[in-house]
Amino acid sequence: MQVRIAPSKALGGAIRLPGDKSISHRYAILAAIAEGTSTLRNFSSGADPHSSLGCMQSLGIRVEKLDGEIKVYGQGLRGLQASTGQLDAGNSGSTIRMLSGILAGQPFASTIFGDESLSHRPMKRIMTPLEMMGARIEAVDGTYPPITIHGTRDLRAIHYETPIASAQVKSCVLFAGLSCEGETTVTEPLKTRDHSELALREFGADIRMAGRTTTITGGKELQGRELYVPGDLSGAAFFLVAAMMSDDANVVLYDVGVNPSRTALIDFLAGGGGQVKVLDVRSTGGELVGDLRVRNSKFQGGVIEKGMTAALIDEIPVLAVLGATSEHGLTVRDASELRVKETDRIATVADNLRRMGIEIETSADGFYIPGKQTFRAAEVDSFGDHRIGMAFAVAGLAAVGGDTIVNEAEAASVSFPEFFATLESIRT
Ligand code: S3P
């Protein structure tokens, strides 16, 4: 599907985002292995979290998708049944990596596959700890999906130091820890998003967090819950940047998740001169939610490196767009993880920027984009990657010289099916 984006000078209005993708995955998986029914409100409309739900259904869990809420009829940690077919994770790295932790503790084998993009994403990072715990896992070339997990009821608790800062790897090990006797501990090089820890606590797990170390004590059954999923801050990022780049903007985003392990984005934007405010913060299910107000702003640009890179990793494509029009440009370092996302995001960002007349220098683990550049309307591609398609729709709003065409725009639907309609709704 091609989407045509006309340039826009002014943006205004109030919008809502789909439920947070990261949180939706965790609720889908944990609700299925909890005892009793969970009701999940504002669950993500994106295809990715529905891949997690679909896998749980294939493992014998009843799921009802009602208007505005999802009911998951959890069967307890021992209530999953071997799937008759392979489990389909679609485009979702979160599904395959986090679900593997649960499947490692089941007394049956499961195979998880995904689409073309997922089939090129590395799984060794979760295989290593799960094998240390006693599961046996097969993968293509030792790392790529499909992966087959030979689970065991005798999974062993470990203390694992993750070599890379990855919330998916941490979550996988903690989820596996649910099936172990005793304490499973994960220490990360940098603190990554803590949605799994908060969700595990909500569902009643025995979990402790201290700095970069999280400990879960296995063997305790989880209990079904009623939970609300806050709006997706990573989805909000496209609108924050669009509004900042606009000549005249005043946009409110309601009920957005503002968990401190995700708000580096807001700090980075505001720190560089962005007029972004968080209003009316409240708490739900252990997560913080607030309303955001953003106005057109002069952005200074800056450097994203070290821990900040990990904290902003999903937002870097749209920050690259913002960087091109900033005062001093944008430098990104320590971002080799970008090369193993849904696409090689250093390559796909650079390709689209160049098509729009923007200069960028890339390296193995980052890039530099000089500031004060002007986007020229062009034909760009999502390359099948949701965040690339959405980032370059935002670039199209700011372009001169006509409409920008986004090819394969349907990719947005893995996290934000309503994205293009929402973008049109704030034109004034
Ligand atoms: C996610 C963690 C991050 C992020 C991804 C979602 C999660 O990946 O990029 O979009 O929900 O835990 P890594 O854990 O691979 O860093």
Side-chain angles (χ1 to χ4, degrees):
M1 175 180 92
Q2 282 190 331
V3 170
R4 179 178 285 273
I5 306 286
S8 158
K9 289 261 174 270
L11 299 174
I15 57 173
R16 282 177 192 283
L17 292 314
D20 185 82
K21 180 163 85 70
S22 290
I23 298 174
S24 296
H25 281 298
R26 285 140 171 99
Y27 288 178
I29 294 171
L30 295 179
I33 57 157
E35 289 182 332
T37 307
S38 289
T39 303
L40 308 177
R41 287 189 296 119
N42 200 40
F43 190 87
S44 169
S45 50
D48 268 11
H50 285 267
S51 291
S52 286
L53 282 175
C55 288
M56 302 326 291
Q57 286 176 299
S58 301
L59 291 161
I61 300 300
R62 193 171 137 220
V63 172
E64 264 174 23
K65 298 185 181 180
L66 305 166
D67 203 21
E69 64 183 37
I70 289 189
K71 283 199 185 294
V72 179
Y73 295 87
Q75 295 296 325
L77 197 50
R78 292 180 172 245
L80 299 180
Q81 289 158 22
S83 171
T84 48
Q86 298 193 349
L87 300 167
D88 185 357
N91 188 244
S92 175
S94 303
T95 303
I96 191 168
R97 294 197 180 116
M98 295 198 283
L99 181 56
S100 295
I102 302 291
L103 294 174
Q106 303 297 321
F108 51 77
S110 308
T111 299
I112 317 180
F113 73 103
D115 68 5
E116 172 66 18
S117 156
L118 192 66
S119 303
H120 292 97
R121 297 186 64 192
M123 298 299 139
K124 186 80 195 155
R125 56 185 64 192
I126 55 142
M127 292 168 64
T128 301
L130 293 179
E131 285 169 347
M132 284 166 69
M133 296 173 96
R136 191 165 63 79
I137 306 180
E138 296 158 66
V140 179
D141 293 336
T143 189
Y144 298 114
I147 61 172
T148 298
I149 301 157
H150 300 269
T152 168
R153 281 268 188 256
D154 297 319
L155 213 60
R156 291 186 299 275
I158 56 169
H159 181 163
Y160 191 60
E161 300 216 2
T162 56
I164 43 171
S166 163
Q168 293 175 357
V169 174
K170 170 178 64 177
S171 304
C172 171
V173 179
L174 292 175
F175 287 4
L178 287 168
S179 303
C180 301
E181 245 179 63
E183 294 189 343
T184 296
T185 299
V186 184
T187 301
E188 335 179 61
L190 300 164
K191 187 90 189 110
T192 62
R193 63 190 71 190
D194 65 1
H195 301 302
S196 292
E197 296 88 314
L198 299 179
L200 281 161
R201 182 175 281 165
E202 280 303 303
F203 279 96
D206 189 347
I207 183 158
R208 297 194 308 274
M209 286 112 93
R212 293 179 289 107
T213 297
T214 308
T215 302
I216 188 159
T217 307
K220 188 172 173 207
E221 283 289 352
L222 306 183
Q223 301 301 322
R225 288 289 322 268
E226 271 191 34
L227 291 163
Y228 170 84
V229 182
D232 196 323
L233 181 57
S234 297
F238 302 102
F239 296 92
L240 298 178
V241 169
M244 281 176 59
M245 288 174 73
S246 169
D247 289 342
D248 175 17
N250 183 0
V251 179
V252 175
L253 300 91
Y254 286 126
D255 300 332
V256 185
V258 287
N259 175 318
S261 66
R262 294 281 293 282
T263 48
L265 169 70
I266 297 172
D267 299 340
F268 182 69
L269 293 177
Q275 295 196 61
V276 183
K277 283 210 161 53
V278 183
L279 313 164
D280 191 18
V281 176
R282 55 256 179 221
S283 166
T284 174
E287 292 281 354
L288 296 180
V289 57
D291 302 331
L292 306 183
R293 177 186 293 278
V294 56
R295 294 177 203 266
N296 50 295
S297 319
K298 197 169 217 174
F299 187 62
Q300 294 302 311
V303 179
I304 301 174
E305 62 183 348
K306 301 185 182 144
M308 212 159 79
T309 303
L312 289 171
I313 198 80
D314 290 342
E315 287 74 60
I316 287 177
V318 76
L319 291 175
V321 169
L322 180 64
T325 60
S326 68
E327 283 296 292
H328 304 296
L330 180 73
T331 300
V332 174
R333 300 192 185 111
D334 308 316
S336 54
E337 278 293 302
L338 284 179
R339 297 223 181 253
V340 291
K341 292 292 179 186
E342 286 83 333
T343 56
D344 172 345
R345 286 183 175 160
I346 294 179
T348 50
V349 162
D351 189 332
N352 278 340
L353 284 179
R354 288 180 181 134
R355 291 190 207 186
M356 297 187 81
I358 301 291
E359 219 181 286
I360 173 171
E361 283 166 28
T362 63
S363 65
D365 68 347
F367 53 78
Y368 167 64
I369 303 170
K372 294 200 181 94
Q373 302 192 68
T374 303
F375 282 94
R376 284 201 303 273
E379 194 169 322
V380 294
D381 219 300
S382 76
F383 299 98
D385 182 335
H386 57 137
R387 298 199 202 281
I388 299 297
M390 293 189 278
F392 282 87
V394 170
L397 285 183
V400 296
D403 294 354
T404 291
I405 307 287
V406 183
N407 288 323
E408 274 191 84
E410 69 280 359
S413 66
V414 306
S415 63
F416 201 159
E418 312 82 359
F419 173 77
F420 292 101
T422 308
L423 196 62
E424 290 307 314
S425 77
I426 56 167
R427 284 183 194 273
T428 57

